[in-house]
Structures are given as C-alpha cells and as structure tokens.
Amino acid sequence: EDQVTQSPEALRLQEGESSSLNCSYTVSGLRGLFWYRQDPGKGPEFLFTLYSAGEEKEKERLKATLTKKESFLHITAPKPEDSATYLCAVQTNTGNQFYFGTGTSLTVIP
Amino acid sequence: GAVVSQHPSWVICKSGTSVKIECRSLDFQATTMFWYRQFPKQSLMLMATSNEGSKATYEQGVEKDKFLINHASLTLSTLTVTSAHPEDSSFYICSALGGAYEQYFGPGTRLTVT
C-alpha cells in the first residue's frame, strides 16, 4: 500500500538550532517527492521537487535530500519566520496520484 | 510564475444554499486541477481530481452530487457546494498541476455554513 509518513508531528526549536524533518514513503514507483510549507489559514507553498535518490536541493536555510525510502528537510539556523507546517507529498509514476503526509508543525522560538 | 488564485477567500452562507468557489491558474495552463478539504490542524484531504474537458474523478466517500466540479477551460476549475450544511464548513483548497508534475496551490477558501 502506498503511503507517506512524516515525523516528528511537531517540533520546537530555538532560533539558530538546526534540525531535520523526515518524510518516509512506501510507493510502488516514485515519480517525484515534493515539499511544501503551509502557514495557518493559507494554501501550501511549493518548496522543492526531488525525483531520484541522491538528489539534493537548497533554498535559503532549507535543504531537501532524497533516498530510496525517505526524504529529509534540513533547516539550518532557523528563524522565527520559518515557523509553519511542512508537508511532503509523493507522486507515483502510475498516474497523477499524490499521497500527502500529515505534516510537521515547526515552531522556532526567538 | 505558477500562481493559482481562488475566489472567494472566505464565504458565509445559510444552510440549504449553494456556494461556488473558483480556482484559476493565472500564468500557466493546467489540464489537471485538484480540490482538497482541510480540517483544523489536519493534513489535506483530496476530494476530487478535475481534468479539463472531462468529468471529475471523485475520491471514495465524496458525494459527487453535492460537490459539483467543472473544469471548462485550461485555467479555470470551479467547485460548487450544493445545499450546504454546517458540516460542510471547512477550508477548501485547489491546486493546479504544473509541467514538472508539481502542484501549485491556491490560497484557500474558508466556507462557513450557518
């Protein structure tokens, strides 16, 4: 069964305290893995797409990596404005089917 | 680029009335759009996949006669909640599929049924 699991469910960090969010997936065939940021009361904002194991992408303090079983979103020296829920989604290569994780709620304390 | 808009951003309606929500891809064409529902502090729940020029594909448990979806052009999909009831109150989000299979989301519509 195709599924996506994110951990931890919630994470509180001090400003400047680096950490990683995990997205584990089990799918029959991976077309792409996507990371999104969602602020309360808003739609998700696209961050990264990863297509194959070993791929990495960076944007400001965020870096996403991908293996055959999981993806990590590394946050380096986070700031309070990085506080949000981070969602990961996997698309299978058998169609336009997407599977979303339940998200990690990140709070960065000044 | 890759901007998706939704209108209205919030709406309050009375029980029994219908509400239409528009989803537009502003700077790209989208043959496929998705409609999601999101409850507080929960992840996205896919309601249906909308393909331009054809009938929408609904997820199991979603009433197609209650949630009418029309995707009449490559930049516009609409969701109509018919005979709305308080339990339909939720945050509705649409997304449009980009050229590299990434989804670009709209800002969402907060529906409150009184």
Side-chain angles (χ1 to χ4, degrees):
Chain A
E1 181 182 340
D2 297 331
Q3 67 178 33
V4 177
T5 304
Q6 288 188 249
S7 63
E9 188 174 310
L11 182 63
R12 288 172 65 89
L13 299 173
Q14 288 292 138
E15 184 172 1
E17 179 187 1
S18 301
S19 187
S20 297
L21 282 54
N22 178 266
C23 173
S24 298
Y25 63 92
T26 306
V27 294
S28 52
L30 179 70
R31 172 175 281 163
L33 185 143
F34 308 88
W35 281 99
Y36 294 88
R37 168 191 171 131
Q38 186 176 24
D39 293 296
K42 296 187 179 181
E45 173 191 346
F46 173 75
L47 293 175
F48 303 110
T49 307
L50 302 167
Y51 294 104
S52 58
E55 191 174 359
E56 299 182 350
K57 290 201 176 165
E58 287 188 68
K59 180 181 179 181
E60 296 179 354
R61 295 178 292 282
L62 300 176
K63 179 180 177 181
T65 62
L66 181 66
T67 72
K68 289 186 177 180
K69 296 182 178 180
E70 59 193 348
S71 176
F72 290 95
L73 184 65
H74 307 278
I75 303 177
T76 303
K79 298 182 178 181
E81 53 262 42
D82 295 322
S83 298
T85 294
Y86 291 85
L87 296 167
C88 96
V90 165
Q91 186 188 26
T92 65
N93 56 17
T94 54
N96 284 335
Q97 192 74 23
F98 286 83
Y99 297 92
F100 275 85
T102 52
T104 293
S105 176
L106 173 66
T107 303
V108 182
I109 305 164
Chain B
V3 178
V4 176
S5 70
Q6 272 184 251
H7 178 80
S9 55
W10 60 270
V11 58
I12 301 173
C13 71
K14 291 187 176 181
S15 187
T17 61
S18 296
V19 173
K20 179 184 283 188
I21 303 170
E22 291 187 350
C23 177
R24 293 181 185 273
S25 56
L26 298 184
D27 51 3
F28 67 105
Q29 294 183 328
T31 55
T32 302
M33 291 184 173
F34 301 92
W35 286 95
Y36 294 87
R37 186 172 179 177
Q38 189 174 37
F39 294 101
K41 298 190 178 181
Q42 293 189 25
S43 191
L44 304 169
M45 184 189 81
L46 180 65
M47 298 175 65
T49 301
S50 167
N51 291 297
E52 187 268 335
S54 63
K55 291 184 178 180
T57 303
Y58 291 81
E59 294 299 301
Q60 193 171 11
V62 178
E63 299 176 60
K64 61 181 180 182
D65 294 330
K66 181 170 188 59
F67 299 99
L68 301 178
I69 292 173
N70 184 277
H71 193 159
S73 78
L74 290 173
T75 59
L76 173 65
S77 177
T78 61
L79 168 68
T80 301
V81 183
T82 63
S83 186
H85 288 94
E87 57 265 30
D88 299 323
S89 298
S90 191
F91 191 53
Y92 293 87
I93 308 175
C94 73
S95 71
L97 198 62
Y101 301 107
E102 66 279 4
Q103 288 186 58
Y104 295 98
F105 287 85
T109 296
R110 172 74 58 192
L111 170 63
T112 302
V113 184
T114 61

